[in-house]
Amino acid sequence: MDLPRIFTIRESSHRIHNPLTPKKFASLGRSLHLAPDTRVLDLASGSGEMLCTWARDLGFRGTGVDISSIFTKQARARAVELGVADRVKFVHGDASGHVADEPVDLAACVGATWIGNGVAGTAELLARSLRPGGMMLIGEPYWRVTPPDVETAVACHATSVADFLPLPGLIEQFGELGCDVVEMMLADQEDWDRYTAAQWLNMRRWLDVNPEDQLAPGVRAELTAEPARYTRYLREYLGWGVFALMLR
């Protein structure tokens, strides 16, 4: 049970595996106005940067669960580096269906709603770990501009235009799920650039060291095509944000 290697090759230098900057994550954490010792469950926690920095800066404590053994190892090392290993722990496992042993104050899935087969299922999964009156965080793409055709949607890593909603539609979906949207933090195009363009350098560095690896032809093809595809399609059409929700 692990992520395919291509994911860890692309994002080998990333501490945050989505298009929000450390500054925006810090701002988001402060904007939630949660008390020290807030208990957090972070599903698909990646390299643990959100949970570790919030433990350091805001006094939170909690657990991250991620399917990547490499990212989990990095998260544990980051907790030690930031001096919060006594406040957070990271579990290597499938976050799909994971429910906390005890109710938490904040349940998060920031950028991996596939664990619940979409936004609705992920909200339901997070709610199963949440204490009454607690808060959820969901990170999800949305269309900045609705694609004119399926080709454009696929170039943005969707399977169809229907995979994502425009931002107002996504906000309305949260309401239809019985949630109040109480805060949000959106990525801008510069944030997308920093997240995505860094993948290109990671792939090139990996290719330089691993030219004979069985994945090398696929990585080379992706590196050749992706910069133009990103600037033509994803950068213009796809948005991304983290949304704080409370059940009504």
Side-chain angles (χ1 to χ4, degrees), residues 107-125:
C109 176
V110 179
T113 55
W114 53 264
I115 69 169
N117 295 315
V119 169
T122 299
E124 189 277 331
L125 173 61

Side-chain angles (χ1 to χ4, degrees), residues 15 17 42-51 63-66 71-72 75 90-91 95:
R15 284 181 171 166
H17 302 286
D42 188 8
L43 298 183
S45 52
S47 296
E49 189 72 3
M50 183 181 80
L51 187 53
T63 300
V65 182
D66 198 272
F71 292 161
T72 302
F90 293 95
V91 177

Side-chain angles (χ1 to χ4, degrees), residues 68-221:
S68 170
S69 58
I70 291 176
F71 292 161
T72 302
K73 181 179 179 180
Q74 291 174 348
R76 291 168 178 162
R78 186 64 167 156
V80 172
E81 179 184 359
L82 297 186
V84 295
D86 61 332
R87 303 189 67 83
V88 298
K89 68 175 181 178
F90 293 95
V91 177
H92 174 228
D94 187 355
S96 303
H98 184 97
V99 178
D101 294 334
E102 298 181 359
V104 299
D105 305 303
L106 178 65
C109 176
V110 179
T113 55
W114 53 264
I115 69 169
N117 295 315
V119 169
T122 299
E124 189 277 331
L125 173 61
L126 294 175
R128 291 165 60 190
S129 294
L130 204 60
R131 67 163 176 80
M135 189 178 295
M136 294 185 283
L137 291 179
I138 292 181
E140 180 71 1
Y142 59 87
W143 294 124
R144 292 181 64 246
V145 178
T146 301
D149 48 44
V150 173
E151 177 187 9
T152 302
V154 169
C156 296
H157 306 302
T159 60
S160 72
V161 176
D163 280 4
F164 306 129
L165 295 168
L167 181 57
L170 180 57
I171 297 294
E172 290 169 354
Q173 182 183 21
F174 291 137
E176 292 164 359
L177 295 173
C179 297
D180 289 321
V181 179
V182 296
E183 184 57 270
M184 70 180 186
M185 186 66 66
L186 304 181
D188 58 27
Q189 287 175 305
E190 172 67 16
D191 301 334
W192 270 114
D193 292 348
R194 299 283 57 76
Y195 169 61
T196 304
Q199 297 177 7
W200 309 336
L201 182 58
N202 290 339
M203 288 189 286
R204 175 53 196 264
R205 296 296 191 216
W206 183 88
L207 284 168
D208 288 345
V209 176
N210 300 278
E212 303 303 321
D213 191 282
Q214 64 179 358
L215 287 185
V219 174
R220 162 44 61 196

